Amino acid sequence: MKDPYSVLGVSPSASDEEVKKAYRELARKYHPDNYQNNPLADLAEEKMKEINEAYDAVTKQRAGSGGYSQQPSGSYGGYSQQRSSSSSSPTYARVRNLINAGDLGTAERLLYEVGQKDGEWYFLSGSIAYRKGWLDEAMQNYTMAVRMEPNNMEYRQALAMMQQRGGYRPAGSYDSSAQCDPCSAYLCCSCLTPWGGMCC
Amino acid sequence: MFGYVRPLRQELKCRDFDLYRATYCGLCRCLRRRYGALAPMFLNFDFTFLALLLWQPEPDFSLCRGRCHANPLVKKPMCPDSPALELAADESIILAWWKLKDSVQDESLLEGMPARSLSALLYPAYRKAAGLRPEFDRAVRSSLEELAALEEEQCPSLDRTADTFARLLRAAAPEEDPRSRVLAQLLYHLGRWIYLIDARDDLAEDREAGRYNPVAARYGPEGDDEALKLTLDHSLELMGAAFQLGDFGCRAPVLENILYLGLPLVQRAVFDGSWSQIKKQKIWSNRR
């Protein structure tokens, strides 16, 4: 296993507070929300696992050495949980599996054999387009999906993700032009600026 | 390419600015050494970014000094030759040649004369570069052919036309790099972004000339800046997300500056029309 301190990017002499801060910044960076339906989601998940393990190792080590360590607040867990989503037909279920496995060509072919286009058809079509990087088409398909089934939360979430920005940005001057949404504003204000205050 | 990929100097640390400039000068020297005195005219910011991106991660960099091509009386700090620099140099020659060939075809006999003679001069360099990077050469050729066909048929899909250039740029990363998936995703969206920004920049000109423009084909002759911005921002975001997953060593800060500050600034400038002014500015001088 890699040295947990180098994974967190802090020196072994760093204070507990510094370790925690570094961990939080990394957790914010690799948070699965930033990699939803992203073709690199598995790499982000690996990173997340690595930093979780490193943080756990450091807190355990420090607690064991009888230092002034606080009760470890627990690392962010449960990220590998799959969001449950159900398909209305076996074909759609197969398409979902293919998309998750990254086999977009087969998924696309299978989907085009479906005759009746319903909300889920457009949603899956949008997911395939998104994975390919065809963002405009993804947006159009998600819009259609929501129009056909306005009450489906999964489709609405996918569309909302296309319409608002809110991914990770490095702390510091990079935030100046970013629009502040309440969620990340909370994070910035609480812990993520070098001076511990507001950043935007 | 087009010069859209540049850092925001005011926000660069001195050492990162030195690194950027030395990479630019190093790429110039690399082009000259490999392809002769004419080659540095194809030097640009986009391929400087590519060299920085593809450079194998190092914890620190060291610079050497070399004679400047534009002014041989002065010596400037330059980064040493490296596989990434050579790759960027070869690829910029290949792309420059195909783009020249493209414009020769587009223009009439008389208008195409400068491009025609330039491409004749560049041909030996192109042959050498294509021999060294046959895969990239094939990728550029097939992508540009596909793009020409889509433009011919007035393709209404923004993504389909942008996809050709995005795949072209994705082919610029070597497959054997351990970061290949990260680089492929980043370069795909960079290519998409460059293509669409360029299309937006040409919107008015194409409208007057009656030429095909992918932004006009999708949103109508006036374009739709709000919708276009949304999709461009999303590409920028996906570039950032990919970037965070790769190891870029000491080059991470300057790359981060380009991705998170440089590109959004250029995008805003293209949208509000100030780009034609900014384009001409040298990054090196301190004037704004």
Side-chain angles (χ1 to χ4, degrees):
Chain A
M1 191 184 149
K2 275 198 221 164
D3 167 39
Y5 287 101
S6 71
V7 171
L8 295 175
V10 292
S11 85
S13 60
S15 70
D16 288 0
E17 208 44 52
E18 282 165 337
V19 170
K20 198 166 167 184
K21 203 166 121 182
Y23 167 71
R24 285 215 180 147
E25 171 72 11
L26 288 168
R28 190 171 73 100
K29 190 189 285 191
Y30 298 117
H31 194 284
D33 281 355
N34 298 335
Y35 290 92
Q36 268 187 60
N37 204 18
N38 191 309
L40 303 176
D42 57 313
L43 297 180
E45 203 177 302
E46 262 168 46
K47 284 264 188 194
M48 198 73 204
K49 218 176 120 195
E50 201 179 84
I51 57 169
N52 274 337
E53 279 168 9
Y55 185 64
D56 283 345
V58 170
T59 41
K60 232 176 248 164
Q61 205 179 14
R62 293 193 170 193
S65 64
Y68 56 96
S69 164
Q70 316 149 321
Q71 185 67 21
S73 58
S75 51
Y76 289 69
Y79 280 139
S80 53
Q81 269 180 0
Q82 290 289 322
R83 283 193 171 75
S84 65
S85 48
S86 55
S87 288
S88 58
S89 87
T91 311
Y92 287 155
R94 270 185 68 199
V95 171
R96 277 181 197 264
N97 286 336
L98 286 164
I99 294 174
N100 286 335
D103 187 355
L104 302 178
T106 317
E108 211 166 10
R109 240 172 291 134
L110 208 60
L111 200 59
Y112 274 100
E113 285 166 15
V114 176
Q116 191 74 37
K117 293 179 183 176
D118 53 10
E120 190 165 9
W121 190 94
Y122 283 106
F123 169 72
L124 292 173
S125 196
S127 303
I128 294 171
Y130 186 81
R131 284 270 182 131
K132 284 202 303 193
W134 290 37
L135 305 177
D136 187 43
E137 245 159 65
M139 175 94 154
Q140 293 177 48
N141 278 299
Y142 288 150
T143 308
M144 274 305 282
V146 169
R147 197 172 299 160
M148 293 177 93
E149 290 176 42
N151 294 324
N152 187 307
M153 279 315 289
E154 192 184 17
Y155 310 165
R156 281 169 54 178
Q157 231 169 39
L159 182 62
M161 200 186 75
M162 300 296 305
Q163 286 166 333
Q164 70 204 15
R165 299 191 57 194
Y168 169 81
R169 288 177 76 80
S173 56
Y174 299 105
D175 281 327
S176 58
S177 65
Q179 283 158 357
C180 234
D181 65 295
C183 174
S184 65
Y186 163 71
L187 276 169
C188 316
C189 302
S190 54
C191 55
L192 289 160
T193 53
W195 53 94
M198 302 281 283
C199 68
C200 42
Chain B
M1 271 182 287
F2 311 93
Y4 294 117
V5 186
R6 50 175 75 199
L8 178 59
R9 183 187 167 167
Q10 291 83 355
E11 297 291 340
L12 274 180
K13 276 188 186 158
C14 290
R15 54 170 274 135
D16 295 325
F17 178 71
D18 291 345
L19 172 62
Y20 185 81
R21 191 173 178 153
T23 310
Y24 185 83
C25 292
L27 182 59
C28 175
R29 180 173 66 173
C30 189
L31 278 164
R32 179 161 40 95
R33 281 186 178 167
R34 283 165 94 82
Y35 297 105
L38 196 67
M41 71 180 287
F42 300 105
L43 174 68
N44 62 44
F45 297 136
D46 308 286
F47 278 95
T48 307
F49 172 78
L50 190 70
L52 286 163
L53 188 76
L54 299 181
W55 210 294
Q56 285 306 304
E58 299 170 322
D60 209 352
F61 61 88
S62 58
L63 304 179
C64 51
R65 295 184 76 79
R67 240 168 244 295
C68 175
H69 174 66
N71 183 359
L73 294 177
V74 295
K75 282 193 155 190
K76 285 184 174 166
M78 292 181 187
C79 65
D81 273 347
S82 83
L85 211 55
E86 288 168 4
L87 183 63
D90 298 346
E91 291 181 341
S92 55
I93 293 289
I94 293 172
L95 191 59
W97 196 77
W98 282 110
K99 280 195 66 72
L100 269 175
K101 217 170 139 58
D102 218 32
S103 54
V104 168
Q105 274 171 357
D106 282 353
E107 284 162 5
S108 67
L109 194 66
L110 205 63
E111 280 180 325
M113 275 316 274
R116 200 182 302 270
S117 37
L118 196 56
S119 79
L121 282 171
L122 188 61
Y123 187 67
Y126 162 72
R127 280 292 298 272
K128 182 180 171 190
L132 290 167
R133 316 283 177 191
E135 279 159 28
F136 184 69
D137 182 47
R138 269 197 297 275
V140 172
R141 185 189 179 149
S142 70
S143 295
L144 291 181
E145 273 171 4
E146 257 179 74
L147 188 57
L150 289 170
E151 287 174 354
E152 185 75 23
E153 67 183 51
Q154 312 257 322
C155 178
S157 162
L158 204 64
D159 291 324
R160 190 176 295 278
T161 41
D163 179 65
T164 54
F165 196 76
R167 277 186 287 128
L168 183 160
L169 206 58
R170 185 171 65 187
E175 271 176 22
E176 63 273 16
D177 195 301
R179 306 167 296 176
S180 64
R181 280 183 64 204
V182 166
L183 293 173
Q185 167 82 351
L186 202 164
L187 287 172
Y188 181 92
H189 281 282
L190 183 64
R192 181 179 191 269
W193 183 88
I194 289 175
Y195 181 78
L196 293 177
I197 270 294
D198 192 47
R200 171 63 184 80
D201 195 30
D202 290 342
L203 190 62
E205 201 186 311
D206 285 347
R207 188 172 51 220
E208 270 160 39
R211 274 194 301 262
Y212 167 79
N213 182 296
V215 172
R218 166 72 175 90
Y219 298 115
E222 297 297 325
D224 180 345
D225 279 358
E226 210 173 307
L228 186 64
K229 181 178 181 304
L230 205 59
T231 199
L232 286 173
D233 280 346
H234 210 103
S235 265
L236 289 177
E237 205 159 280
L238 288 175
M239 276 182 246
F243 172 76
Q244 297 298 343
L245 292 169
D247 181 7
F248 297 92
C250 64
R251 289 175 181 77
V254 62
L255 290 168
E256 209 162 64
N257 173 293
I258 295 171
L259 291 173
Y260 289 99
L261 299 173
L263 299 183
L265 183 85
V266 168
Q267 182 176 314
R268 279 197 296 278
V270 167
F271 278 118
D272 69 24
S274 60
W275 170 244
S276 52
Q277 292 303 313
I278 296 176
K279 186 160 66 173
K280 292 183 213 129
Q281 285 170 10
K282 288 261 186 288
I283 294 180
W284 320 130
S285 74
N286 222 347
R287 275 172 299 153
R288 298 188 71 165

